[in-house]
Amino acid sequence: MTGWVAANLISVLNGLAIGALLFVLAVGLSLVFGMMDVLNLAHGALFVVGAYLAAALTGGGASWGAFLGALGLAAVIGLLGGGLLSVMTEPLRRRSHLDQALLTLGVALIVAELLQIVFGDDPLAVPAPPGLDGSTSVFGAAYPTYRLVLIGVGAVLAVGVWLLVERTTLGALVRATVADRDMVAAIGVDNRRVKITVFALGSLLATVAGVLGGPVYGASVGLDSTVLILALVVVVIGGLGSVRGALVGALVIGQIESLGRALLPDLASFVLFGALALVLIVRPRGLFGGRSGATA
Amino acid sequence: MAEFTLSRRTLLTLFGAAAATPVLAACGSSVGGGSAGSTGGGATGPVKVGLVIPQSGVYAALGTDMQRGWDLWLSQHDKKIGGRDVTTIVADEGENPQTGVPAVQRVLQADQVDVVVGLVNSATALGAAPVVSEAKKLLVVTNAGAADITGKARTPYVWRTSFQNAQVAAAAGPYLAQQNVQGGVFLIAPDYAAGTEVRAGFKAAYEAAGGKIAGEAAPPFGTTQDYQPFLSQIRQSGAGAVFCFFAGAEAVRFVQQYAQFGLKDTVPLYGSGFLTEGGVLTAQGAAAVGVKTSLFYTDRLDNPANRVFVDAYRGAYQAVPTCYSVSTWDAAAVLDRALGKATALDGDALSAALGGVGAIDDSPRGPWTFDGQNPRQTMYLRTVEGTPGSLYNAVTADLGQKAQV
Amino acid sequence: MTPALSCHGLRRSFGALRAVDDVDLTVEAGARHALIGPNGAGKSTVFRLLSGRMRPDAGTVRLADRDVTRLSEVARCRLGMSQTLQHTSLFASLTAAETVALAVRRHGPTGGGARIEPWPRRHPAVDARCAELLADVGLADVAARPVPALSHGERKQLEVALALACAPTVLMLDEPAAGMSPAESARLLALLDGLPREVTVLFVEHDLDLVFDLADRVTVLHLGRVLLSGTPDEVRASDAVREAYLGTGRREELFTS
């Protein structure tokens, strides 16, 4: 019995680690979709760019220098990539979601193909930085040290993003734009610049998540669509354009993917989308989707 | 997800990036080709082969190995099969039947090939079977391992030089039963057709030999990034060993996470050979050392044919061959025998000729014969040895000749 | 004297429909100018063409002595044209005070333009200006309340405060009294009536009582064209206006006040 409890506590802990990573991945997607109505299907590709960067830089051997270098480079690429995506979707702002989704899907496909050409077809692994590559004993069982650290890093990033959005003027502007884009324009704020800023920061978080997720997920062809679907599920469950929603959605999905699969192994393929269906039936706008968040 | 890859390539072509990409440049082009000094004429006219292998998507790495195996055989044999000049038309199988079956149709209809070789995906092979049957052309499958391809859905036109999923897994059953694993063996493979065949194949062979299954798990295929819940289940089951089947990125993640969660040192990991074959082994690194798998080939096999093969392969591609290279190399080898005897290039003539090729004694995998339309071949237990960067599958045991299950 | 806002030859079509057809309009500085007309007259389209939300097919828009036809809504706002919108949800996750503060930070506590700084620094001047604006529109008591907790009338008042925070020379209101109770409507009237004369007001309104109480100048649109532009009395007396609204012979029912 104690063994059973300990094993499930490890699943809970693991759900936190996965949830932390999912939050970093999904919050940018949520804000960009909620604010500017741009469904950025290239978000998964940005994650994979980060993962491949980490694989490439740590390919010669794991070191802190390589790992932090990958984080820094991924952040810069994320900023530039996000800004570029924002500019690319700008001419389509008055068009339907579908047009923007098709454009970003096209970008995602091109990026994925280029990554495959540059880095090859074989799946690549990303070693955790020295000191974090071992295991720590938790509840009497070995648990990867890196994942413990990941929980902490995710928490720090979540607090950082929350402070930025809830406690700064830029954040107030972001929230205002989520709620009523036209009104923001009416008080004389150029919301294209707000959009570029949020797009760039959200994309930065996606590429950084790719590096952080490297030691867990590796880098491989097809990973982009898998993580994109996870991020979309997080956004749908949490509600659009809400930091709190993205955080809760990510933690819920983390637990479903971890504890849910551990408790219901026979329904492993079903629990994720079962939970999604349940949320959509009970709260069609997601757990934290406001009435105004998804309008216009 | 699957459709993404199809349109990914289409899109790239549209954007004109094709010119910059060597992989794409090979798409639809002819490799090999008839040489000026052909014997020509009569029953020894040229033969056109459609090599349908993945050039895009998650299986692209396998496609590369397959093409290398094919090209190597041709270059070692004066670019002739059965005395005929060969023209090879390469087509992209993609990830799934939606791309693979049309690719088969295309080489048959647009390129008018005489024989189709390749196919990684089992669903694609099963979908292509009626297509080649209707065209009365021969298809030699060089990877796809579903039992039905040469079993329930058998047609005289589809032969296989690779393996059957259950055949590979079942080979490890009696061996593990002999090891008398305390607590029994835990069985884990993804919840799709191949995974199910592996679980059923291993379970039947292991239990028949007196073993006890400690538990089973079927993680969602293609969407499982994290195996912790299943590793937790394994730990709780009290199993003394694990037998698994994973390929590609899933194989890398599973083997690494198996080590990270501390199971590697306490519960030995066994699996179907694809777990540690080719590029995935490099990515797995130290986590893979000691993992034991069953397969019909490893580049470390000590026989004269393999030594020559590995040297030539290394020389040509600066890489070690995989089972995927060998299956395709062998496809050329059996076609060589069949075309030498056959009077015509249609499927009926070639199928009849293949039925009479007898023992293939010059294969790098060791001697094998057709059992029905699938190889009867020796399986080996292989152990990952070496250090990260130079890992290899050493031969640990000869598991004996295995027929199709 | 230069008009505060004017347009000349303004046209805008939607497919075959000429929603706005050669409209000239002059809003004198300090005026309380109403834009009225029956449904489909093109009021909202003219409003959007003037505010910059929509681009005209032809014609020019001038703000004071400057041609702003090619300028965006945001740029026009910076030049002193401020507006409230007909359908607005305001900012659901902000309080009334935070909402106004956003605009005050954008335009500076004394007007004249500033930048929104990303980092929260307390500016006593910003806080003071916010409190002043909220008091002006009668929302001092609910400053700390989140926007969704405000009543419909209070939200409209907040919108006016938001528009005033932009330190406008021209204030444009799109149906400010829509959906208001008579009490709320009366309070809004008092608020607009009390605005300093340096602020020119142009408003689109359905409630003709409010129009004739507040406006000193009225332009009537009909089928995308200007039917009449004059004093409230001239509009009241016009048969053409009566016909446009009601068809013939029912004048009394239209103008009851």
Side-chain angles (χ1 to χ4, degrees):
Chain A
M1 191 62 198
T2 49
W4 185 85
V5 172
N8 285 316
L9 281 175
I10 288 179
S11 290
V12 171
L13 185 72
N14 193 60
L16 280 177
I18 302 298
L21 188 60
L22 284 179
F23 169 76
V24 181
L25 168 68
V27 68
L29 185 69
S30 177
L31 287 180
V32 169
F33 196 3
M35 271 181 71
M36 293 301 166
D37 266 0
V38 178
L39 179 52
N40 178 21
L41 293 181
H43 206 73
L46 289 165
F47 178 94
V48 177
V49 166
Y52 270 108
L53 263 180
L57 266 67
T58 59
S63 75
W64 275 99
F67 194 78
L68 295 176
L71 271 179
L73 196 56
V76 172
I77 289 178
L79 272 179
L80 296 177
L84 189 65
L85 277 168
S86 180
V87 171
M88 285 172 76
T89 52
E90 194 53 36
L92 302 179
R93 60 189 284 140
R94 299 278 175 210
R95 309 255 290 268
S96 72
H97 284 170
L98 186 62
D99 290 350
Q100 298 173 336
L102 282 176
L103 175 73
T104 54
L105 176 63
V107 172
L109 298 174
I110 292 169
V111 168
E113 190 73 36
L114 289 174
L115 286 173
Q116 199 168 354
I117 289 164
V118 172
F119 293 102
D121 305 321
D122 283 320
L124 302 176
V126 180
L132 306 182
D133 51 353
S135 299
T136 305
S137 181
V138 179
F139 305 122
Y143 190 82
T145 312
Y146 180 79
R147 293 189 183 207
L148 291 175
V149 175
L150 194 57
I151 297 174
V153 172
V156 167
L157 282 173
V159 169
V161 171
W162 184 82
L163 283 176
L164 185 68
V165 173
E166 297 291 332
R167 287 284 178 270
T168 67
T169 315
L170 180 66
L173 205 52
V174 168
R175 283 179 293 143
T177 311
V178 170
D180 193 336
R181 200 186 329 168
D182 289 343
M183 198 68 218
V184 168
I187 63 169
V189 175
D190 188 347
N191 56 25
R192 279 173 305 183
R193 282 164 63 182
V194 181
K195 177 183 162 191
I196 290 180
T197 308
V198 172
F199 224 127
L201 290 176
S203 302
L204 176 153
L205 286 172
T207 47
V208 163
V211 177
L212 291 176
V216 180
Y217 292 164
S220 58
V221 178
L223 183 62
D224 51 341
S225 36
T226 312
V227 296
L228 176 65
I229 288 168
L230 275 180
L232 286 172
V233 172
V234 167
V235 169
V236 170
I237 285 191
L240 293 175
S242 150
V243 176
R244 200 160 35 133
L247 181 60
V248 172
L251 291 177
V252 167
I253 297 301
Q255 289 306 330
I256 287 171
E257 287 275 273
S258 193
L259 187 61
R261 285 180 167 186
L263 293 178
L264 304 167
D266 295 338
L267 298 177
S269 340
F270 172 77
V271 284
L272 177 65
F273 293 104
L276 179 63
L278 196 68
V279 169
L280 285 178
I281 291 166
V282 180
R283 296 281 309 249
R285 288 183 184 279
L287 297 176
F288 289 91
R291 261 189 319 130
S292 53
T295 52
Chain B
M1 190 189 346
E3 283 80 356
F4 283 20
T5 307
L6 162 66
S7 35
R8 186 181 293 166
R9 185 156 301 273
T10 318
L11 236 126
L12 258 194
T13 316
L14 282 174
F15 277 76
T21 69
V23 183
L24 282 166
C27 193
S29 73
S30 112
V31 180
S35 60
S38 74
T39 46
T44 55
V47 59
K48 228 173 175 183
V49 178
L51 187 62
V52 184
I53 50 175
Q55 295 176 309
S56 64
V58 295
Y59 303 122
L62 276 58
T64 305
D65 288 357
M66 292 162 85
Q67 172 141 27
R68 286 173 173 177
W70 181 258
D71 290 348
L72 183 64
W73 196 95
L74 286 180
S75 72
Q76 287 174 329
H77 294 83
D78 198 22
K79 303 205 185 303
K80 284 185 170 54
I81 289 184
R84 295 168 185 266
D85 287 327
V86 180
T87 304
T88 307
I89 311 291
V90 184
D92 183 13
E93 181 191 339
E95 270 179 19
N96 53 42
Q98 285 79 48
T99 49
V101 175
V104 171
Q105 265 160 346
R106 204 163 51 241
V107 294
L108 283 173
Q109 285 159 12
D111 300 308
Q112 294 285 311
V113 301
D114 303 299
V115 180
V116 179
V117 174
L119 301 190
V120 163
N121 185 312
S122 285
T124 302
L126 289 167
V131 176
V132 295
S133 300
E134 198 180 322
K136 294 195 185 306
K137 296 290 183 192
L138 185 73
L139 164 63
V140 182
V141 174
T142 65
N143 186 65
D148 286 353
I149 296 169
T150 54
K152 239 184 280 174
R154 191 194 73 84
T155 105
Y157 303 104
V158 181
W159 293 66
R160 175 157 58 191
T161 57
S162 49
F163 59 89
Q164 211 192 5
N165 291 324
Q167 182 186 23
V168 172
Y175 176 85
L176 270 162
Q178 276 169 22
Q179 302 295 305
N180 197 18
V181 176
Q182 291 304 307
V185 171
F186 193 99
L187 197 47
I188 179 168
D191 67 342
Y192 74 121
T196 308
E197 288 188 3
V198 163
R199 281 196 307 276
F202 178 84
K203 192 176 180 181
Y206 180 59
E207 288 181 339
K212 183 178 127 300
I213 296 290
E216 282 189 57
F221 174 61
T223 60
T224 305
Q225 307 297 323
D226 182 29
Y227 291 95
Q228 181 273 335
F230 307 100
L231 297 174
S232 223
Q233 210 185 332
I234 290 171
R235 193 190 296 279
Q236 286 179 71
S237 74
V242 169
F243 187 86
C244 73
F245 165 76
F246 291 102
E250 293 194 333
V252 176
R253 283 197 289 268
F254 185 79
V255 168
Q256 288 202 324
Q257 292 175 13
Y258 198 83
Q260 285 166 3
F261 282 90
L263 284 162
K264 180 174 182 283
D265 302 325
T266 50
V267 188
L269 180 60
Y270 292 80
S272 280
F274 317 102
L275 186 71
T276 57
E277 187 72 1
V280 296
L281 184 57
T282 317
Q284 285 158 351
V289 174
V291 174
K292 290 184 165 62
T293 59
S294 58
L295 197 63
F296 59 87
Y297 181 73
T298 155
D299 62 292
R300 295 288 161 142
L301 280 182
D302 190 19
N303 67 53
N306 190 45
R307 281 195 293 271
V308 173
F309 173 71
V310 172
D311 283 348
Y313 196 96
R314 273 182 191 279
Y317 308 114
Q318 289 77 49
V320 291
T322 60
C323 69
Y324 316 109
S325 330
V326 171
S327 294
T328 318
W329 196 90
D330 274 356
V334 295
L335 281 172
D336 182 52
R337 288 163 164 78
L339 283 167
K341 290 183 198 165
T343 49
L345 292 174
D346 62 274
D348 291 301
L350 290 178
S351 183
L354 273 179
V357 296
I360 292 89
D361 47 13
D362 60 350
S363 168
R365 73 177 92 176
W368 63 277
T369 56
F370 275 116
D371 166 33
Q373 284 151 244
N374 186 73
R376 177 188 168 84
Q377 53 192 332
T378 303
M379 291 289 166
Y380 304 93
L381 189 76
R382 321 170 317 157
T383 307
V384 177
E385 291 177 5
T387 51
S390 58
L391 294 169
Y392 56 90
N393 288 290
V395 181
T396 300
D398 182 329
L399 300 174
Q401 283 265 322
K402 302 289 174 185
Q404 70 172 318
V405 177
Chain C
M1 190 175 162
T2 317
L5 177 68
S6 64
C7 65
H8 182 72
L10 220 47
R11 288 174 197 273
R12 172 76 198 209
S13 300
F14 299 105
L17 173 72
R18 290 185 170 183
V20 173
D21 192 7
D22 197 16
V23 166
D24 291 350
L25 185 69
T26 303
V27 182
E28 299 297 342
R32 301 290 177 262
H33 197 131
L35 198 55
I36 66 169
N39 281 333
K43 304 183 294 289
S44 287
T45 308
V46 168
F47 188 91
R48 288 187 193 133
L49 294 174
L50 292 175
S51 74
R53 175 141 298 185
M54 199 181 274
R55 289 293 154 93
D57 297 335
T60 55
V61 178
R62 298 181 76 83
L63 181 63
D65 50 6
R66 181 164 181 166
D67 184 343
V68 297
T69 315
R70 297 280 134 218
L71 294 185
S72 70
E73 183 179 22
V74 171
R76 291 185 203 192
C77 181
R78 238 167 272 171
L79 293 172
M81 184 193 286
S82 182
Q83 55 173 327
T84 68
L85 304 178
Q86 191 178 339
H87 303 289
T88 171
S89 48
L90 284 165
F91 311 141
S93 66
L94 274 56
T95 66
E98 284 173 336
T99 304
V100 177
L102 212 52
V104 171
R105 282 179 193 272
R106 177 71 188 84
H107 296 275
T110 54
R115 293 182 59 84
I116 290 189
E117 296 161 355
W119 308 113
R121 239 181 273 154
R122 297 225 71 87
H123 282 293
V126 169
D127 294 346
R129 175 74 179 136
C130 283
E132 185 188 332
L133 283 164
L134 286 169
D136 283 352
V137 299
L139 291 178
D141 295 342
V142 296
R145 210 174 278 178
V147 169
L150 300 179
S151 72
H152 181 76
E154 285 170 334
R155 288 197 204 189
K156 287 282 175 186
Q157 286 163 269
L158 180 59
E159 274 185 53
V160 175
L162 201 54
L164 290 174
C166 301
T169 55
V170 176
L171 175 62
M172 296 174 60
L173 308 161
D174 196 359
E175 302 205 10
M180 280 191 170
S181 68
E184 286 173 334
S185 193
R187 192 187 300 169
L188 180 74
L189 181 65
L191 167 63
L192 295 177
D193 219 21
L195 289 177
R197 278 284 150 178
E198 299 87 75
V199 179
T200 305
V201 179
L202 172 68
F203 64 109
V204 171
E205 187 50 67
H206 268 303
D207 180 347
L208 295 176
D209 290 344
L210 187 79
V211 168
F212 290 115
D213 281 347
L214 184 65
D216 50 27
R217 191 85 186 164
V218 179
T219 296
V220 185
L221 288 175
H222 183 49
L223 300 175
R225 290 172 164 273
V226 175
L227 188 65
L228 179 71
S229 209
T231 64
D233 288 339
E234 287 167 357
V235 170
R236 259 191 259 247
S238 164
D239 288 340
V241 171
R242 188 196 61 213
E243 281 168 29
Y245 263 88
L246 295 175
T248 50
R250 292 171 63 194
R251 183 174 179 174
E252 298 72 23
E253 289 172 39
L254 181 59
F255 303 127
T256 51
S257 59

Short mmCIF file of all heavy atoms in Angstrom, two decimals, chain C residues 148-167:
data_model
loop_
_atom_site.label_atom_id
_atom_site.label_comp_id
_atom_site.label_asym_id
_atom_site.label_seq_id
_atom_site.Cartn_x
_atom_site.Cartn_y
_atom_site.Cartn_z
N PRO C 148 -16.05 44.54 -14.94
CA PRO C 148 -17.27 43.73 -15.10
C PRO C 148 -18.30 43.97 -13.99
O PRO C 148 -19.46 43.66 -14.16
CB PRO C 148 -16.75 42.28 -15.04
CG PRO C 148 -15.32 42.37 -15.39
CD PRO C 148 -14.85 43.69 -14.88
N ALA C 149 -17.86 44.54 -12.85
CA ALA C 149 -18.78 44.76 -11.74
C ALA C 149 -19.54 46.09 -11.88
O ALA C 149 -20.38 46.41 -11.05
CB ALA C 149 -18.03 44.73 -10.41
N LEU C 150 -19.21 46.86 -12.91
CA LEU C 150 -19.88 48.15 -13.09
C LEU C 150 -21.21 47.96 -13.83
O LEU C 150 -21.37 47.04 -14.63
CB LEU C 150 -18.99 49.10 -13.91
CG LEU C 150 -17.63 49.45 -13.30
CD1 LEU C 150 -16.88 50.39 -14.25
CD2 LEU C 150 -17.78 50.08 -11.93
N SER C 151 -22.15 48.87 -13.55
CA SER C 151 -23.42 48.83 -14.27
C SER C 151 -23.21 49.35 -15.70
O SER C 151 -22.16 49.93 -16.01
CB SER C 151 -24.45 49.70 -13.56
OG SER C 151 -24.13 51.07 -13.76
N HIS C 152 -24.22 49.16 -16.53
CA HIS C 152 -24.11 49.60 -17.92
C HIS C 152 -23.85 51.10 -18.00
O HIS C 152 -22.96 51.55 -18.72
CB HIS C 152 -25.39 49.24 -18.67
CG HIS C 152 -25.36 49.64 -20.11
ND1 HIS C 152 -24.64 48.94 -21.05
CD2 HIS C 152 -25.93 50.69 -20.75
CE1 HIS C 152 -24.77 49.52 -22.21
NE2 HIS C 152 -25.55 50.59 -22.07
N GLY C 153 -24.60 51.85 -17.20
CA GLY C 153 -24.43 53.30 -17.22
C GLY C 153 -23.04 53.70 -16.73
O GLY C 153 -22.40 54.59 -17.31
N GLU C 154 -22.56 53.02 -15.70
CA GLU C 154 -21.23 53.34 -15.17
C GLU C 154 -20.14 53.05 -16.20
O GLU C 154 -19.16 53.78 -16.29
CB GLU C 154 -20.99 52.54 -13.89
CG GLU C 154 -21.75 53.07 -12.69
CD GLU C 154 -21.71 52.14 -11.48
OE1 GLU C 154 -21.54 50.91 -11.68
OE2 GLU C 154 -21.89 52.63 -10.37
N ARG C 155 -20.35 51.99 -16.96
CA ARG C 155 -19.35 51.68 -18.00
C ARG C 155 -19.31 52.77 -19.05
O ARG C 155 -18.24 53.13 -19.54
CB ARG C 155 -19.70 50.35 -18.68
CG ARG C 155 -19.45 49.16 -17.81
CD ARG C 155 -19.41 47.96 -18.67
NE ARG C 155 -19.72 46.78 -17.88
CZ ARG C 155 -19.59 45.55 -18.34
NH1 ARG C 155 -19.19 45.36 -19.58
NH2 ARG C 155 -19.88 44.52 -17.59
N LYS C 156 -20.49 53.27 -19.41
CA LYS C 156 -20.52 54.36 -20.40
C LYS C 156 -19.81 55.58 -19.84
O LYS C 156 -19.08 56.29 -20.56
CB LYS C 156 -21.98 54.70 -20.75
CG LYS C 156 -22.63 53.64 -21.62
CD LYS C 156 -22.18 53.80 -23.06
CE LYS C 156 -22.73 52.68 -23.95
NZ LYS C 156 -22.18 52.74 -25.30
N GLN C 157 -20.02 55.84 -18.55
CA GLN C 157 -19.34 56.98 -17.92
C GLN C 157 -17.84 56.75 -17.94
O GLN C 157 -17.06 57.67 -18.18
CB GLN C 157 -19.83 57.13 -16.47
CG GLN C 157 -21.23 57.70 -16.37
CD GLN C 157 -21.83 57.46 -14.98
OE1 GLN C 157 -22.48 56.46 -14.75
NE2 GLN C 157 -21.59 58.39 -14.07
N LEU C 158 -17.45 55.51 -17.67
CA LEU C 158 -16.02 55.17 -17.68
C LEU C 158 -15.42 55.39 -19.07
O LEU C 158 -14.31 55.90 -19.21
CB LEU C 158 -15.83 53.72 -17.24
CG LEU C 158 -14.39 53.22 -17.18
CD1 LEU C 158 -13.56 54.06 -16.22
CD2 LEU C 158 -14.35 51.75 -16.77
N GLU C 159 -16.20 55.04 -20.08
CA GLU C 159 -15.73 55.27 -21.44
C GLU C 159 -15.48 56.74 -21.72
O GLU C 159 -14.52 57.11 -22.39
CB GLU C 159 -16.76 54.77 -22.45
CG GLU C 159 -16.64 53.32 -22.77
CD GLU C 159 -17.64 52.96 -23.86
OE1 GLU C 159 -17.63 53.65 -24.90
OE2 GLU C 159 -18.43 52.05 -23.64
N VAL C 160 -16.37 57.57 -21.21
CA VAL C 160 -16.19 59.01 -21.40
C VAL C 160 -14.93 59.46 -20.69
O VAL C 160 -14.11 60.23 -21.23
CB VAL C 160 -17.43 59.79 -20.91
CG1 VAL C 160 -17.17 61.29 -21.00
CG2 VAL C 160 -18.66 59.41 -21.73
N ALA C 161 -14.72 58.93 -19.47
CA ALA C 161 -13.50 59.27 -18.73
C ALA C 161 -12.27 58.84 -19.51
O ALA C 161 -11.27 59.56 -19.60
CB ALA C 161 -13.52 58.59 -17.36
N LEU C 162 -12.36 57.67 -20.10
CA LEU C 162 -11.25 57.13 -20.89
C LEU C 162 -10.97 58.04 -22.09
O LEU C 162 -9.82 58.34 -22.41
CB LEU C 162 -11.65 55.73 -21.36
CG LEU C 162 -10.59 54.74 -21.77
CD1 LEU C 162 -9.56 54.57 -20.68
CD2 LEU C 162 -11.25 53.39 -22.08
N ALA C 163 -12.04 58.47 -22.73
CA ALA C 163 -11.88 59.34 -23.89
C ALA C 163 -11.31 60.68 -23.48
O ALA C 163 -10.45 61.24 -24.16
CB ALA C 163 -13.21 59.52 -24.60
N LEU C 164 -11.76 61.17 -22.32
CA LEU C 164 -11.26 62.47 -21.86
C LEU C 164 -9.80 62.37 -21.42
O LEU C 164 -9.05 63.34 -21.51
CB LEU C 164 -12.12 62.98 -20.70
CG LEU C 164 -13.53 63.42 -21.09
CD1 LEU C 164 -14.35 63.78 -19.85
CD2 LEU C 164 -13.49 64.61 -22.05
N ALA C 165 -9.40 61.19 -20.96
CA ALA C 165 -8.01 61.00 -20.53
C ALA C 165 -7.05 61.19 -21.69
O ALA C 165 -5.87 61.46 -21.50
CB ALA C 165 -7.84 59.60 -19.93
N CYS C 166 -7.56 61.03 -22.89
CA CYS C 166 -6.72 61.22 -24.06
C CYS C 166 -6.54 62.70 -24.38
O CYS C 166 -5.99 63.04 -25.43
CB CYS C 166 -7.32 60.50 -25.27
SG CYS C 166 -7.51 58.73 -25.01
N ALA C 167 -7.01 63.58 -23.50
CA ALA C 167 -6.87 65.02 -23.66
C ALA C 167 -7.30 65.49 -25.04
O ALA C 167 -6.51 66.06 -25.80
CB ALA C 167 -5.41 65.45 -23.38
#
